[in-house]
Amino acid sequence: MNHTGMINPFIKLICTILITYWIGSAAYAQPPRSGYEFLTESTREMQDDEFANPGMVAVERGQKLFNTPGDSGKTCATCHGEDGEKLNPKKIAQYPVFNREFDEPFTLQKQTNLCWEDQLENAPLIDDSVDAVALETFVRHQAKGETVNVDINGPLKPYYEAGKELYNTRVGQLDVACKHCHDYYAGKKSRGQVLSQGQSNGFPIYRLGTGRITSLQRRLRECFVSFRATPFDFGAEEWINLEVYLHGRGNGLKIETPAVRY
Amino acid sequence: MSASRSIQTISKLAFIAAVFAVGSFITTVQADPYYTWQMENFKIKKPLGGLKGNAERGRQISIAPDKGSCLNCHAMPIPEEPFHGNIGPSLIGVASRLTEGELRLRVVDEKQINPETVMPGYYRHPKHFTLVAEDYEGKTFLTAQEVEDVVAYLLTLK
């Protein structure tokens, strides 16, 4: 009697720990799955219908910017073809890339901002401003259906590793890391919300919860705030590293920009 | 006339400043102390700070999104709330599986049991946290009283 009373809690404990690690390692071994697979039928339909997808507003805004002449007289279309027909979807799907000239990783938004400033000679776009996100959304939309293909073994490797470390670091008063929700519990419910793997292939996404087009960095800042953690500033190297890691972790997924998510 | 007006204004301002000063003084003085606790055989037998919990309040804390929000991850016998998470095990009947001391440890700091857990340590020592937002610096997720309220509620889940 006494004997079983002693053993039971101990066995329960070991089981809990083993099961958690087992779930964890099983999730690591799982192939990447798009957030799309975890959506309700009606949200999927909204994303799939170009007329119903509210993210298309940002694509259209980006398209206008793409065809608007800058102070240099050039438009983005001058180099990339009318409505981006000369953009290579395969190359877009490789972002973030390592920029040798600047000797640092370049996210797609950083690249579009650079062209805006250097080629069009416009006043710089503010990181994550409505226009910067619209331009990024339009460009990434050109690669919809393309396979995410980030080279994480070349010069991006150290940034990828740093991003992975942040992904696995507990932050905030909630004291959780990304892996605790997205690697261990994808498919489980957090109140009514189904947890996905936290993949980045749909970004910029339209968020039903906030009613706005949302870049990956803005989403990460929103996550941090919900853990009662201090988010890094837009453009901070921590976010860039995490962006490199998330896109690389999602290699093989299809680009869905603009995806619709909660 | 105008001199007495300005004196009036100044004394009003001084009064407001005094109220603020006293206010901030009170909050610093009254900030909750951190009650140390002891774990023995994976139990915390003694209530935090010797406080007595209230089960009805504990039930509310388990629901409130900015408090325990236990429903985020656990099913509980709270039928008026439509959405219950299933990240953690159901807590229906949990008091017939775990003792008071075992329940308290799980609410206070589940990481003592499972270092890899997703469950927040509601009374984990704030010194363990990193990058905490300013408003929450040095604070536990729940107060000692709130933890005791939740424990009292869990004990009703036979």
Side-chain angles (χ1 to χ4, degrees):
Chain A
M1 182 64 204
N2 225 342
H3 187 70
T4 49
M6 285 291 285
I7 279 178
N8 260 334
F10 191 66
I11 290 180
K12 263 195 284 187
L13 204 84
I14 300 287
C15 289
T16 316
I17 294 173
L18 285 180
I19 287 171
T20 315
Y21 279 107
W22 174 75
I23 294 172
S25 54
Y28 280 125
Q30 269 175 20
R33 289 172 66 195
S34 168
Y36 185 85
E37 294 188 41
F38 300 88
L39 297 177
T40 62
E41 194 58 45
S42 62
T43 311
R44 286 187 201 176
E45 278 168 16
M46 187 190 270
Q47 173 173 323
D48 292 341
D49 178 353
E50 295 231 326
F51 295 100
N53 183 333
M56 290 307 290
V57 174
V59 172
E60 279 153 31
R61 186 180 178 122
Q63 182 173 23
K64 276 208 193 95
L65 293 167
F66 195 87
N67 292 300
T68 304
D71 290 346
S72 67
K74 286 189 258 182
T75 70
C76 306
T78 311
C79 294
H80 301 296
E82 194 155 328
D83 294 331
E85 72 205 2
K86 284 197 234 154
L87 286 170
N88 183 346
K90 290 215 156 35
K91 279 198 165 166
I92 294 172
Q94 288 169 357
Y95 274 83
V97 297
F98 188 79
N99 184 314
R100 288 182 191 280
E101 192 189 325
F102 286 78
D103 199 32
E104 62 180 31
F106 257 51
T107 60
L108 190 57
Q109 192 183 118
K110 202 158 173 175
Q111 182 60 55
T112 50
N113 285 2
L114 182 74
C115 290
W116 182 262
E117 201 180 330
D118 276 16
Q119 299 295 330
L120 273 62
E121 294 171 18
N122 284 326
L125 288 172
I126 294 166
D127 272 347
D128 212 69
S129 60
V130 180
D131 282 348
V133 176
L135 200 52
E136 178 194 359
T137 308
F138 169 72
V139 171
R140 205 163 162 86
H141 179 62
Q142 304 313 303
K144 191 174 163 188
E146 197 55 60
T147 305
V148 177
N149 180 25
V150 181
D151 179 7
I152 53 174
N153 295 310
L156 279 181
K157 185 149 181 107
Y159 303 93
Y160 174 88
E161 293 299 337
K164 183 175 183 176
E165 198 178 317
L166 179 53
Y167 185 89
N168 292 324
T169 302
R170 291 184 183 272
V171 296
Q173 199 191 37
L174 206 62
D175 204 23
V176 277
C178 317
K179 67 170 175 180
H180 291 119
C181 288
H182 294 297
D183 289 356
Y184 294 1
Y185 294 109
K188 291 282 185 182
K189 270 196 207 149
S190 174
R191 294 238 183 182
Q193 190 60 45
V194 179
L195 283 171
S196 72
Q197 291 181 353
Q199 295 287 356
S200 59
N201 57 309
F203 280 84
I205 59 173
Y206 178 83
R207 275 201 75 186
L208 296 164
T210 58
R212 66 178 292 168
I213 190 85
T214 305
S215 68
L216 184 51
Q217 281 188 35
R218 179 174 295 273
R219 186 68 182 87
L220 297 174
R221 285 174 59 96
E222 288 167 352
C223 289
F224 262 50
V225 169
S226 72
F227 317 150
R228 301 181 173 182
T230 309
F232 308 107
D233 294 333
F234 282 114
E237 64 180 298
E238 286 88 350
W239 289 148
I240 308 275
N241 294 339
L242 196 47
E243 230 177 286
V244 170
Y245 175 65
L246 290 176
H247 285 299
R249 175 176 172 266
N251 271 342
L253 294 175
K254 300 270 184 268
I255 291 178
E256 294 174 20
T257 312
V260 178
R261 297 287 189 269
Y262 184 75
Chain B
M1 173 69 189
S2 93
S4 78
R5 263 256 180 89
S6 63
I7 286 172
Q8 259 184 6
T9 328
I10 287 169
S11 58
K12 247 189 221 158
L13 283 176
F15 178 71
I16 292 168
V19 169
F20 271 107
V22 171
S24 58
F25 180 69
I26 287 174
T27 45
T28 37
V29 168
Q30 287 194 336
D32 282 313
Y34 185 82
Y35 297 109
T36 47
W37 43 269
Q38 230 120 51
M39 174 174 85
E40 239 176 89
N41 274 332
F42 296 101
K43 294 182 186 82
I44 303 175
K45 287 216 172 123
K46 292 194 192 124
L48 300 177
L51 297 164
K52 191 171 163 22
N54 172 309
E56 182 43 38
R57 278 200 313 253
R59 190 175 187 276
Q60 290 313 313
I61 292 164
S62 307
I63 300 170
D66 60 336
K67 290 284 183 186
S69 198
C70 317
L71 282 184
N72 236 65
C73 301
H74 296 284
M76 300 174 96
I78 302 182
E80 73 273 22
E81 286 291 320
F83 300 115
H84 298 215
N86 62 3
I87 293 171
S90 165
L91 297 182
I92 295 168
V94 72
S96 43
R97 281 181 270 129
L98 299 172
T99 63
E100 178 179 338
E102 288 170 333
L103 289 168
R104 186 173 289 109
L105 175 64
R106 279 156 181 79
V107 179
V108 165
D109 194 357
E110 171 73 13
K111 287 182 194 90
Q112 301 293 333
I113 304 171
N114 175 10
E116 267 299 289
T117 192
V118 65
M119 179 165 157
Y122 288 96
Y123 205 72
R124 186 169 165 82
H125 200 291
K127 73 179 175 204
H128 297 297
F129 302 151
T130 39
L131 282 176
V132 177
E134 227 177 290
D135 291 354
Y136 305 101
E137 249 170 56
K139 293 182 189 153
T140 52
F141 207 100
L142 292 179
T143 64
Q145 182 62 57
E146 288 166 337
V147 168
E148 290 308 323
D149 293 344
V150 170
V151 172
Y153 171 58
L154 293 178
L155 279 170
T156 68
L157 308 183
K158 291 263 178 349

